[in-house]
Amino acid sequence: MRQNENKLTEHKICRELKTLNLYVPFQEIVVEKCLRSIHPKLTYDTKSIFIASIKFFFENLFSNQLFLSKLVDYISYLNSNSSGTIENIIQTKFFKEKIASFYDENTLYIPILIYFDGFECLNAVGFHTGTYSIEAVYIKLGVLPPEFNSKLDFIWPLQFAFTLDIDSIGNQKAYQNIIIDLNFLFDTGIDINFKNFKKVRFVVTHLVGDNKAVHKLHNFVANFSKANYFCRLCKSNKLEISSQFSENICLYRNNENYMTDINLNNASLTGIHAKSVFCNLKNFHPIDNSYVDVMHDVLEGVAKYAMPRIISHFIAQKYFSLHTLNKIILDFDYLCANNKLDSITKEHLTIFKIKSSASEMHNLVMHFNLMVGDLVNEDNEFWILYLMLRKIVHFVCKNSYEKFTPYIFNQYVVEFNMLYFKLCGTLKYKFHLLNHYKNLMLKFGPLISFSTMRFESKHKIFKDIIHNSCN
């Protein structure tokens, strides 16, 4: 009985958070209301979104003098770094040009990332699969001191809604409130009083998510298997993408041909269904602020396709057996790595797709040479293919690099795509996206900074809340 009395109810938790000024309220906004029945009384089906007051939260965050001191010191370090090393987007020409027209030395300009993704809750199966899928929107500062950057506490929820409701009401209604709030943070910002800084303004640099989510947000064609034009970065067609070893600059999408394609209104010829609602976001454009994701493109894409083919070849050549490989994986000492692949099955090798998390695949690729290097002929072409893949994973996961690094990386991509096409056949869309990485690295800085890996970890918190709640 005493234990029950000591338990904090939802009401008590909210009351304590309000007392500590840590409570961020969510506002329910009904975006659509439909009459369902008139007997025995009027009943309605409503489609709602729940959105947080991110302005209120940022005002509290930036009133913390300790946090503000660490952030300003880190930004000063980045801006004063004369070594040529690129660590963050605020060091790039792209970001400096974004804020040049309204720059004020008494204002702190912060890039922000907005993440979109859905997650399943309540383990609904059968007919109810997808019924309780929730579309989550998170926000994160694009520049944070290293000690804060990977912490989930610095990824904040912005909006929640049922995925089926989002699909029903469309992007315009679903995200218009987010756009209004983000435009306010850009235009007006929040007031601070720290050294010579009197205001903070926030610049949205990227909308992040997996390929399907980003295409859906910006109304690009999302059928990657049947559509003819499905690349959001260039206008290469399906046939060209299947055997393209490097990017064709002449086919790059830009702000001008984007509007031409919108006016043409023919998705089969342009790859665009309609103008993105996020064109209403100030100082942002779906093409100019284009995005790729290291996690889905490389760790859960290219590496997952290439590694089973490489392993299958080595087993066929009798360098080692599947049993031997699994024993090596089990016994291998990763030292500081926590995410170890359990095992590789015959099914994985049959369907040429290893089921693993992004972290597990990263560890497998980066340590595979130490696991089996002494068993394999170093002149074998599949071994050379693996070494190229390892170099690619190494480069895309770097937190900083020199200005010439993207050009070295691009040479590995060209050679990797050529050799993969020779040994394994058709290139998939995620191989094609690697062709665009060089220019995006030059434009935005380290691409690992925009990875969805940490964002997806945030889902677990809300899944646990849902499972433990009677709401």
Side-chain angles (χ1 to χ4, degrees), residues 327-365:
K327 190 174 186 307
I328 293 173
I329 292 174
L330 179 65
D331 296 338
F332 188 80
D333 185 3
Y334 290 90
L335 295 179
C336 61
N338 295 321
N339 297 285
K340 299 174 65 172
L341 189 68
D342 290 334
S343 63
I344 298 173
T345 68
K346 289 183 179 179
E347 182 186 2
H348 293 163
L349 302 182
T350 302
I351 64 175
F352 294 120
K353 193 172 183 181
I354 297 175
K355 294 180 180 179
S356 66
S357 68
S359 298
E360 290 169 349
M361 180 54 66
H362 177 267
N363 282 329
L364 177 64
V365 172

Side-chain angles (χ1 to χ4, degrees), residues 164-348:
L164 292 178
D165 289 349
I166 296 288
D167 294 338
S168 173
I169 64 180
N171 289 350
Q172 179 66 42
K173 291 182 179 180
Y175 304 122
Q176 61 183 354
N177 293 285
I178 287 179
I179 292 172
I180 291 170
D181 288 350
L182 293 175
N183 282 340
F184 175 85
L185 291 174
F186 172 75
D187 284 329
T188 306
I190 59 175
D191 296 326
I192 61 171
N193 185 14
F194 185 81
K195 295 183 179 179
N196 62 316
F197 295 110
K198 304 301 179 186
K199 187 180 288 292
V200 182
R201 292 176 65 180
F202 301 87
V203 183
V204 177
T205 58
H206 292 90
L207 306 183
V208 305
D210 60 24
N211 289 312
K212 187 175 181 179
V214 174
H215 279 242
K216 178 182 172 183
L217 287 172
H218 295 312
N219 291 318
F220 288 110
V221 170
N223 192 329
F224 304 120
S225 60
K226 295 183 179 179
N228 195 32
Y229 295 93
F230 50 77
C231 182
R232 63 182 180 274
L233 296 167
C234 74
K235 303 181 75 172
S236 299
N237 61 42
K238 182 179 180 180
L239 183 61
E240 291 170 328
I241 286 174
S242 66
S243 59
Q244 199 172 61
F245 307 136
S246 60
E247 65 180 347
N248 186 339
I249 299 176
C250 298
L251 296 177
Y252 243 68
R253 294 188 187 273
N254 54 49
N255 297 8
E256 291 74 28
N257 64 37
Y258 175 79
M259 288 309 303
T260 301
D261 290 343
I262 294 295
N263 295 329
L264 187 60
N265 194 28
N266 189 331
S268 62
L269 295 178
T270 64
I272 305 174
H273 291 295
K275 187 177 180 180
S276 171
V277 65
F278 290 97
C279 288
N280 298 324
L281 195 58
K282 294 186 178 180
N283 215 20
F284 182 93
H285 193 279
I287 304 301
D288 194 33
N289 296 73
S290 52
Y291 163 78
V292 289
D293 179 35
V294 169
M295 174 182 165
H296 288 98
D297 296 343
V298 181
L299 299 178
E300 292 189 350
V302 172
K304 274 196 174 182
Y305 295 127
M307 283 305 293
R309 285 172 168 81
I310 292 168
I311 293 170
S312 293
H313 174 79
F314 291 156
I315 292 174
Q317 293 296 310
K318 301 189 184 303
Y319 290 133
F320 50 78
S321 66
L322 180 59
H323 174 75
T324 300
L325 176 61
N326 281 328
K327 190 174 186 307
I328 293 173
I329 292 174
L330 179 65
D331 296 338
F332 188 80
D333 185 3
Y334 290 90
L335 295 179
C336 61
N338 295 321
N339 297 285
K340 299 174 65 172
L341 189 68
D342 290 334
S343 63
I344 298 173
T345 68
K346 289 183 179 179
E347 182 186 2
H348 293 163

Side-chain angles (χ1 to χ4, degrees), residues 245 298-299 302-303 306-307 310 314 364-366 368-369 378-397 408-424 427 431 434 437:
F245 307 136
V298 181
L299 299 178
V302 172
M307 283 305 293
I310 292 168
F314 291 156
L364 177 64
V365 172
M366 297 307 294
F368 190 69
N369 58 326
E378 63 181 13
D379 295 325
N380 186 290
E381 286 189 304
F382 276 88
W383 181 248
I384 296 172
L385 182 71
Y386 158 71
L387 293 178
M388 290 179 183
L389 174 65
R390 188 179 186 279
K391 283 285 187 181
I392 288 171
V393 171
H394 168 71
F395 277 118
V396 298
C397 292
I408 298 174
F409 166 79
N410 190 61
Q411 187 58 41
Y412 281 113
V413 169
V414 173
E415 294 176 0
F416 174 79
N417 281 342
M418 290 179 65
L419 187 55
Y420 184 91
F421 182 79
K422 173 187 174 183
L423 300 176
C424 307
L427 300 176
F431 289 80
L434 285 178
Y437 270 46

Side-chain angles (χ1 to χ4, degrees), residues 115 138 152 452-461:
Y115 172 70
Y138 303 133
L152 296 183
T452 61
M453 195 177 303
R454 294 306 292 157
F455 285 104
E456 289 202 355
S457 299
K458 191 74 174 183
H459 288 331
K460 185 179 185 303
I461 295 174

Side-chain angles (χ1 to χ4, degrees), residues 23 37 54 63 65 78 85 100 128 173 177 305 324 346 378:
Y23 180 71
S37 173
I54 201 67
S63 66
Q65 296 295 300
L78 292 174
T85 302
H128 296 286
K173 291 182 179 180
N177 293 285
Y305 295 127
T324 300
K346 289 183 179 179
E378 63 181 13

